[in-house]
């Protein structure tokens, strides 16, 4: 566990967090690795973890009957995967696959939720950061839905 | 406005409104609906010289005329190269040309990308869809004079992997150590292993010195607007941002007013504009 400290501290998502909060996060963290093609989670499964990507790439997929698995977004190093762990019913909404060898820090969701309940400052820090990511992704999704490269109407 | 090449000086004795006949030497399909044509003048002369960002009016006989940017290398003046997406009447007619067919060409017109002004700076080039075509000459020019620029980054977004233009060149560019190329698509199915997401998501993933960076953007206006927001967040001053605007055109050379957008004639004052000049106009719909 000890050697995870530097990884957590240097992750872009967590920049500017206090050392106390880093220590709390560290208690819920583990190092994980996914082979290319390996599924990290499946739609409908319990969202008991989320991930800080360190190397590699994760693809968020949606299964369409007509087209099979369609990738709608990729997550790169320095980014975070998953916010379903924050809100009931705590289930993943998409399939997520490693497109290449991917290393990440997995955060135990129950552990972190409990720590956030106990320490509201930590909870607020996490919420602020996730809210920022969520608004950015929402804007990106809206933009994607516009299908801007299609013909003009 | 450096490097602007006036059509009248170049194409004597042709007047500004008289098309010069060109023969199609090759027509290559880039994607399902986009193709590249290579042309040479039928009079045996050389094509008119151009600066990156300028466009020609291409005339499909009996059908009509359309403005199309030049997508070739300004240092290889033997052939005039255009990359065209089939969207309507004239572009469809151009898509049906064959080797040996003749079309009319007027130009080049318009303002170029500020590649001289960008010397000494980092450069961020953002292209969306067919928008890579007008920016390809910028890449050719910069790569032939690479030491004059700092970091050079190309961010290219398109709808899906099958709609990527200039695949072979993109591969070559990606293999270079002095050019960072990031590509993203809006959605993908296997075997695509690259980025998926809108082009704006690539901006925070690349490094440049914001105060010393020039950005050039070409693509759908909404893409440019979102990208500019992200570039501004990263600290690039507004005056270092340049965009290429598209408006319907008729004469292409400032005579008819068809392309007027507020106080500007896009064909003459543009199509490449410093962003502050068109900031307020970018949201205005065409009449
Ligand atoms: C300065 C300038 C440079 C340009 N450079 C290029 C270039 O390098 N390559 C290129 O392919 N195009 C380029 N264009 C766009 C090109 O001029 C138009 O696509 C063309 O005029 C359409 O003519 P059309 O007769 O084929 O279609 P129209 O019959 O006029 O239109 C048919 C349908 O296509 C839609 N449409 C028209 N234009 C576009 C467009 N640009 N994008 C999406 N949908 C459109 C219309 O809304 C309509 O629904 C440029 C335009 C400008 C102003
Ligand atoms: S197209 Fe005629 S003035 Fe611009």
């Amino acid at each position: 566990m000890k050697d995870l400290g530097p990884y957590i501290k240097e992750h872009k998502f967590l920049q500017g967090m206090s050392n106390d909060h880093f220590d709390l996060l560290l208690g819920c963290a583990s190092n994980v690795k996914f082979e290319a093609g390996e599924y990290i989670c499946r739609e409908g499964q319990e969202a008991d973890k989320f991930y800080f990507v360190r190397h590699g790439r994760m693809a968020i997929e949606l299964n369409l009957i007509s087209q099979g698995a369609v990738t709608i977004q990729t997550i790169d190093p320095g980014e975070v995967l998953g916010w379903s762990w924050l809100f009931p019913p705590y289930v993943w909404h998409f399939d997520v696959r490693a497109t290449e060898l991917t290393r990440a820090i997995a955060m135990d969701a129950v552990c972190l939720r409990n720590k956030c309940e106990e320490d509201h400052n930590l909870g607020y820090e996490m919420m602020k950061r996730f809210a920022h990511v969520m608004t950015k992704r929402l804007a990106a999704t809206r933009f994607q839905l516009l299908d801007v490269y299609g013909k003009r109407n | 406005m450096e490097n602007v090449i006036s059509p009248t000086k170049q194409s004597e004795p042709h007047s500004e409104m008289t098309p010069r006949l060109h023969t199609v030497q090759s027509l290559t399909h880039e994607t399902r609906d986009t193709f590249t044509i290579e042309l040479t003048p039928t009079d045996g002369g050389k094509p008119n010289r151009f600066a990156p960002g300028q466009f020609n009016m291409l005339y499909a006989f009996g059908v009509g005329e359309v403005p199309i940017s030049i997508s070739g290398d300004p240092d290889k003046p033997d052939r005039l190269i255009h990359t065209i997406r089939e969207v309507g009447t004239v572009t469809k007619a151009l898509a049906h040309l064959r080797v040996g067919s003749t079309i009319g060409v007027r130009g080049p017109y318009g303002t170029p990308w500020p590649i001289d002004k960008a010397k000494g700076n980092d450069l961020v080039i953002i292209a969306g869809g067919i928008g890579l075509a007008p920016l390809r000459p910028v890449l050719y020019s910069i790569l032939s004079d690479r030491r004059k620029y700092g970091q050079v980054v190309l961010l290219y977004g398109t709808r899906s992997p099958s709609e990527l233009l200039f695949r072979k060149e993109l591969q070559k560019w990606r293999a270079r150590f002095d050019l960072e190329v990031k590509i993203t698509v809006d959605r993908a199915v296997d075997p695509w292993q690259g980025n998926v997401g809108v082009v704006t998501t690539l901006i925070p993933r690349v490094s440049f010195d914001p105060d010393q960076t020039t950005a050039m953007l070409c693509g759908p206006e909404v893409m440019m607007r979102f990208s500019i927001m992200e570039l501004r967040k990263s600290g690039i001053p507004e005056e270092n941002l340049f965009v290429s605007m598209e408006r319907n055109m008729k004469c292409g050379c400032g005579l008819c007013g068809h392309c007027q957008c507020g106080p500007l004639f896009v064909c003459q004052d543009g199509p490449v504009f410093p962003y502050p000049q068109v900031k307020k106009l970018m949201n205005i719909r065409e009449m």
Side-chain angles (χ1 to χ4, degrees), chain A residues 7 12 22 26 34 38-39 43 49 51-52 54 57 59-60 66 86 90 98 113 122 141 144 150 152:
Chain A
Y7 293 146
K12 219 168 160 183
F22 274 127
L26 207 51
F34 301 98
E38 188 178 339
Y39 274 88
E43 183 182 339
K49 288 191 181 64
Y51 301 90
F52 297 124
R54 291 175 43 221
R57 174 169 292 153
I60 301 182
S66 55
L86 274 167
Y90 310 120
R113 276 202 306 265
L122 172 68
T141 307
Q144 216 163 349
R152 285 197 219 142

Side-chain angles (χ1 to χ4, degrees), chain B residues 55 57 67 106 247-260 264-269:
Chain B
F55 66 94
M57 296 299 293
R106 289 193 292 123
R247 287 292 182 273
N248 286 334
M249 290 183 182
K250 228 176 187 116
C251 71
C253 53
L255 297 174
C256 69
H258 211 77
C259 65
Q260 191 169 0
L264 303 169
F265 281 9
V266 174
C267 67
Q268 221 174 26
D269 303 313

Side-chain angles (χ1 to χ4, degrees), chain B residues 52 75 114-115 118-119 123 125 135-150 152 176 178-179 216:
Chain B
D75 289 333
I115 47 178
K119 281 184 181 155
L123 198 60
I125 297 167
L135 282 165
R136 188 167 69 160
V138 173
L139 281 149
Y140 289 138
S141 297
I142 278 159
L143 294 176
S144 73
D145 207 6
R146 181 64 189 83
R147 280 176 305 170
K148 301 265 170 60
Y149 300 88
V152 181
R176 292 180 67 123
D178 58 358
L179 177 65
M216 302 179 188

Side-chain angles (χ1 to χ4, degrees), chain B residues 119 145 171 175 188 195 220 233:
Chain B
K119 281 184 181 155
D145 207 6
Q171 267 166 10
N195 291 300
K233 265 192 243 163

